[in-house]
Amino acid sequence: MTFGRASLAWLICAVSAVNAAAQEPTVLTLTREHVGTDCVVGPVTSERDLLAWAVEKPWRENKTIWGGLTPGTYPATATYRAGTGIELAFSDLPDQPASVLVLGARTANGAGRVAIGPDIAGNCRVKSGKSYPHAAARLAQRVFGALKPENGQSAELRVRVADR
């Protein structure tokens, strides 16, 4: 009978540990490999898994948002916006008002978003076009648990900003 109780206690502990781990938010890491006046470039990873490469260019004489973030880990809400990408809304940035990064397809002028793709094409560009959906799907799968989330679907996560 003692074996049965010990097994039951072990099973309860194991289930509790799995539930606790399942409730921890996803950590998305944006590593800046290049920060300059022309652009910010780096990989987007989660649990050491490369999800996409990202590039943010200044636009309309504005500074980059990603380039200005102090290295650290911040709570954020990720919201899927069909046709736009994934919005990362930061709620607790030190010395800055709440900021939003949009991870999406490359636009003609890069206005208002961090372009993502499967690789860097050079000269502050990501490979985009037909390869963008693959990078977007990998990112959506990790953040939302689905390759094609519902428009407006949100998830709480932690965004780690690091410099290399």
Side-chain angles (χ1 to χ4, degrees), residues 9 19 35 40 46 49 52 56 62 68 76 83-84 94 113 116 119 125 140:
N19 285 339
V35 179
V40 180
S46 180
D49 184 20
E56 183 185 18
N62 291 322
T84 302
R113 71 180 57 218
I116 61 170
D119 204 354
R125 290 188 355 245

Side-chain angles (χ1 to χ4, degrees), residues 126-164:
V126 291
K127 288 184 180 175
S128 59
K130 292 182 180 178
S131 59
Y132 163 74
H134 178 71
R138 285 180 54 86
L139 191 57
Q141 179 68 43
R142 184 58 59 105
V143 173
F144 301 106
L147 293 174
K148 293 188 178 191
E150 296 289 321
N151 187 38
Q153 184 175 341
S154 293
E156 297 302 315
L157 69 152
R158 301 197 49 83
V159 176
R160 181 174 172 258
V161 176
D163 289 332
R164 202 172 272 179

